Each structure stands twice: as C-alpha cells, then as structure tokens.
Amino acid sequence: MAKDYFLTRFARWALSLDANSIPAPVIEKTKLLLLDTVGCAITGSRARVASGTLKTVQQSGGAPQASLIGHKEKTSAVNAVLANTVFIRSLEINDIMGNDPNDGSKLGGHPSDNVSAVFAFGEMAKASGKEALAAIVLAYEVFGRAQRLLERGMPWDHTSAHGFASCVAAGRLLGLTEVQLANALGLVAAHCPIFNTVRRGEISDAKFMASEIGRAHV
C-alpha cells in the first residue's frame, strides 16, 4: 500500500473545498477584502518600487496570460504575480493578519499578497468568480494556519507562508490533480522558506518583494 504522505493529504484537503459550501458571511467578507486589495494595487502601482518592477516585467517579455493591475498590457502569469504583489504591497496599506482568535497570540503578515496569484492564474484558467473567491478563502486559511506554526524565535519570516497559500490557490484554479499539487507543494517546501533577516537593519524596497523571493523559484 502506498504511503499517504503529508503533502498528499494537504493537496487532497485543498482540492476538496466545495465553493458552494463556503458560508455567505465568509464570501461577503472575501469580496470586501478583494475590493480593498484591488484599491491598494491601483494606488500602489504608481509607487517608486512598483515602477521599477513594472519596467523589469515589461523588459522580460512573456506570453500575455494575465493582466497587470492599473495598466493596459498583459504579461506572463508568473510576471503578473510578481508585479501585482508589489503593487498590492508597495504602500503598506493592504490588510494585515492580527491576533489569533483562538489564543490572542500575534500572527502578522499580509494575506492579501496571495490574491495576486488568484488574479493571474484565475485569469489564465478562465476561472469563474465563484472559484476565484473560493481560492482566496483557501489562500487566507492556509496562510493563517501556517502563521500559527511560525513561532517566535524561529529563523523564518512570515512571508514563508505565502508560497504554500498561493500554491494551493493557483493549483485549484489550474485544475491540478492531487499528485500534481502535492509535487508543487514539495517544490514550495524546498524553495519558499525565507529567513527573517529580510526585516532586519536597513530595509530596502526589496521588502515589498519578500513574499515573491521563494515563489519566483516555484
């Protein structure tokens, strides 16, 4: 009998989410978060760090698979995730995960960074609005659970959680199988952990790309 590995179970759980079973209040909250995220991205797309990122993306080319928020052109899905994440984050006004409702402990992190993956791969896969919202809910759930595991004193930055959250959201939208998603999560585990030194000392504009450092390799 084949072993039921953790990443296989993780993938099975992520793919089993029924978009129709998500409670209405959760969907309404997700719509508000989505609206807020788009507003942050449109405003942030004109920031200095966003301008540099946009120029890099434009120069790198790629198939026109996904839109750049606040701009007319399209780029590859991977480049769109990079650029749109920076747009969302560049002004530091997007949402933040506060305290764990279970024990009041501080979590931190900006879960809406993961919405860029839903935008890009949802557009690429021509996903429905219902599936896109379900993918966002899933990304937030995974991000929050991962944050609870990143205890104080660990060397890992909270942006390490983005790789897993974005992966399951994109995997659902792209219609990956359980095995394919488990393999993708294995790549995330190998490439996405980020040391918390990205938030120490003199912090450059690269801070706004911290959640992209690992995802770019996957």
Side-chain angles (χ1 to χ4, degrees), residues 40-41 84-94 110 113 158-159 162 199 207-211:
C40 291
N84 287 333
T85 301
V86 174
F87 296 169
I88 292 168
R89 186 71 188 284
S90 63
L91 297 179
E92 295 275 35
I93 56 175
N94 60 319
H110 304 268
D113 285 2
H158 69 260
T159 52
H162 287 297
R199 234 164 285 281
K207 174 189 177 185
F208 305 116
M209 302 178 188
S211 61

Side-chain angles (χ1 to χ4, degrees), residues 31-166:
K31 290 178 179 178
L32 289 174
L33 290 167
L34 179 58
L35 181 62
D36 178 74
T37 302
V38 171
C40 291
I42 291 174
T43 306
S45 67
R46 301 307 192 264
R48 182 188 63 181
V49 63
S51 298
T53 304
L54 177 62
K55 184 180 296 184
T56 299
V57 165
Q58 291 170 329
Q59 292 174 347
S60 66
Q65 298 169 325
S67 301
L68 296 170
I69 300 173
H71 300 274
K72 294 181 179 180
E73 68 262 47
K74 290 189 176 185
T75 185
S76 68
V78 173
N79 279 344
V81 174
L82 168 62
N84 287 333
T85 301
V86 174
F87 296 169
I88 292 168
R89 186 71 188 284
S90 63
L91 297 179
E92 295 275 35
I93 56 175
N94 60 319
D95 65 355
I96 185 169
M97 187 165 285
N99 296 331
D100 188 330
N102 296 304
D103 59 16
S105 60
K106 183 179 179 181
L107 292 175
H110 304 268
S112 59
D113 285 2
N114 298 294
V115 175
S116 59
V118 175
F119 284 154
F121 291 102
E123 181 177 359
M124 180 180 173
K126 296 180 172 57
S128 67
K130 179 184 291 186
E131 276 302 319
L133 289 172
I136 294 173
V137 170
L138 180 62
Y140 269 70
E141 183 70 20
V142 171
F143 185 81
R145 293 188 185 204
Q147 286 296 81
R148 291 177 63 188
L149 299 175
L150 295 174
E151 299 175 355
R152 288 183 178 276
M154 287 185 171
W156 309 114
D157 188 64
H158 69 260
T159 52
S160 301
H162 287 297
F164 296 96
S166 290

Side-chain angles (χ1 to χ4, degrees), residues 19-30 137:
N20 293 312
S21 69
I22 300 174
V26 175
I27 291 297
E28 289 305 309
K29 182 67 173 181
T30 304
V137 170

